[in-house]
Amino acid sequence: MRDTTIRRYNPETWPIASAMIHRKNDLGDGRTVQDQSADEWGVALAEVAAAGFAHVDPFDSWIRLADLERSRLDEFMAVTRDVGLSIPAISTARRSVIDPERGDEFLEYGHRVIDTAAEIGAGAVSFGLFGPLTQVQQQALWFWTVQGVVNPDDRDVYDKAVARIAELGRHAGELGLEISLEMYEDTYLGTADGAVRFATDVDLPNVKVNCDLGNLVRLHRPVEDWRSMMEKLAPFAGYWHAKNYYRMEDHGTGMAMSSPAPLEFGVINWREAVRMAFHAGFRSAFALEHYGGDGLSVCATNLTYLRKILRATMVTS
């Protein structure tokens, strides 16, 4: 197995990727990003590099690298290198291995993603158990304000999820890759306790938790304090989607509201969260996400902020 730890990185070289969620797969002209030319891919990727990034996570909501023919994958990687970017990890979204209709298909796809990640030199793959956006969610300004798909309270389905993620984890382990399981509301990874339980049940050293606390603090409902969550999650932390939200709560009525925030301004104290994870052994890459407005520019600001945190954390360790 390859050594995929990041002990060799310092704060200046620690992989911090831009997530490609600021671009859509559907181009609106009958094509998708899968169909674009290498030059068109280059435009999108050069924009990321120009924002100050040396790393990118293509996210399969933008392009499904595992579904490209070999020659096309080679084209994509050539363009990526030409603009000065590398890919530390690949994130999947809304392709749950326990989807009631397409779970078998998504399991097979997950294996292809792992093979693709190894082929291009990525060190991790992020998987989640969350389903597709409902029609109402797609129409909402912020999709997380509307109830989405819920993992069933069914022991057989839970066990199936554990078994399938373990299958992917063993495959990844053979190739020296990390699997990171994304926290997301109303899934088996929808709380800190649930995520710890799930990762413990999978019981593989290369299967970690993607501590995407932003997915939870943005909910318009009661949520556990982020510090309490991070205390539980820190020993399990792997490849990490980082974002933040403003959150307002009315204690009298129980009403909660949120909106996206730059990493340093939201309710999560990322300086403290990173420090907690680092001292518990976290040595994986980050991906920066932001919804709304000029998401790429906000992520570029977040890149500078996160590097400052890493410098301070590693100096004091």
Side-chain angles (χ1 to χ4, degrees):
M1 181 185 294
R2 290 184 302 161
D3 180 6
T4 58
T5 63
I6 302 185
R7 292 172 185 161
R8 65 188 181 278
Y9 294 133
N10 60 48
E12 312 310 319
T13 62
W14 199 298
I16 304 174
S18 170
M20 290 299 287
I21 63 172
H22 60 277
R23 284 183 172 265
K24 297 180 179 180
N25 177 262
D26 186 347
L27 300 173
D29 60 3
R31 300 181 305 151
T32 71
V33 175
Q34 305 292 125
D35 307 313
Q36 286 187 305
S37 67
D39 288 342
E40 289 174 304
W41 289 335
V43 170
L45 293 169
E47 183 180 56
V48 172
F53 285 92
H55 307 279
V56 65
D57 181 336
F59 269 63
D60 65 2
S61 58
W62 180 58
I63 187 169
R64 300 183 311 280
L65 296 188
D67 286 344
L68 293 175
E69 294 182 1
R70 177 55 187 266
S71 61
R72 293 280 282 159
L73 179 60
D74 290 344
E75 281 186 294
F76 184 89
M77 292 308 300
V79 170
T80 301
R81 289 190 296 270
D82 286 347
V83 301
L85 295 173
S86 67
I87 300 175
I90 299 175
S91 293
T92 69
R94 307 193 184 282
R95 290 172 172 82
S96 170
V97 296
I98 54 168
D99 183 279
E101 297 180 1
R102 303 179 66 185
D104 293 347
E105 172 191 343
F106 291 150
L107 177 61
E108 180 183 354
Y109 170 76
H111 283 291
R112 296 203 310 276
V113 174
I114 290 169
D115 286 334
T116 301
E119 184 176 350
I120 67 174
V125 176
S126 176
F127 291 107
L129 297 175
F130 47 106
L133 292 175
T134 67
Q135 185 175 4
V136 178
Q137 284 181 305
Q138 293 176 43
Q139 294 171 346
L141 174 61
W142 304 125
F143 61 84
W144 58 84
T145 64
V146 179
Q147 179 63 56
V149 177
V150 178
N151 285 172
D153 182 13
D154 184 314
R155 182 69 197 198
D156 289 340
V157 178
Y158 178 87
D159 289 345
K160 183 177 184 179
V162 169
R164 289 190 163 189
I165 292 298
E167 177 183 330
L168 293 173
R170 287 190 293 271
H171 180 186
E174 292 169 358
L175 298 174
L177 302 181
E178 174 188 287
I179 295 296
S180 190
L181 304 174
E182 183 174 355
M183 299 184 71
Y184 197 95
E185 76 267 16
D186 300 323
T187 72
Y188 300 136
L189 299 146
T191 64
D193 290 329
V196 168
R197 175 193 177 199
F198 193 92
T200 300
D201 287 344
V202 171
D203 193 24
L204 290 171
N206 66 315
V207 176
K208 309 288 187 178
V209 175
N210 178 347
C211 305
D212 195 341
L213 301 179
N215 283 348
L216 303 182
V217 303
R218 70 189 180 189
L219 298 175
H220 288 197
R221 64 174 91 160
V223 295
E224 184 178 0
D225 180 79
W226 71 265
R227 289 180 184 83
S228 172
M229 288 193 284
M230 201 64 226
E231 287 173 356
K232 300 170 184 177
L233 295 166
F236 298 85
Y239 178 54
W240 200 348
H241 293 175
K243 57 181 177 286
N244 214 344
Y245 289 83
Y246 298 111
R247 180 177 174 88
M248 178 178 292
E249 297 181 359
D250 184 323
H251 182 72
T253 65
M255 182 185 72
M257 300 187 73
S258 68
S259 64
L263 212 58
E264 63 184 308
F265 296 141
V267 69
I268 301 167
N269 181 340
W270 274 94
R271 184 179 300 273
E272 186 175 345
V274 169
R275 185 182 297 120
M276 293 167 70
F278 186 85
H279 288 310
F282 170 77
R283 298 297 185 272
S284 300
F286 293 91
L288 297 177
E289 301 179 295
H290 186 82
Y291 289 99
D294 184 354
L296 177 58
S297 290
V298 175
C299 286
T301 299
N302 291 343
L303 174 64
T304 300
Y305 169 67
L306 188 51
R307 290 241 181 260
K308 289 180 181 178
I309 290 175
L310 289 171
R311 291 185 196 111
T313 298
M314 296 182 80
V315 165
T316 57
S317 297

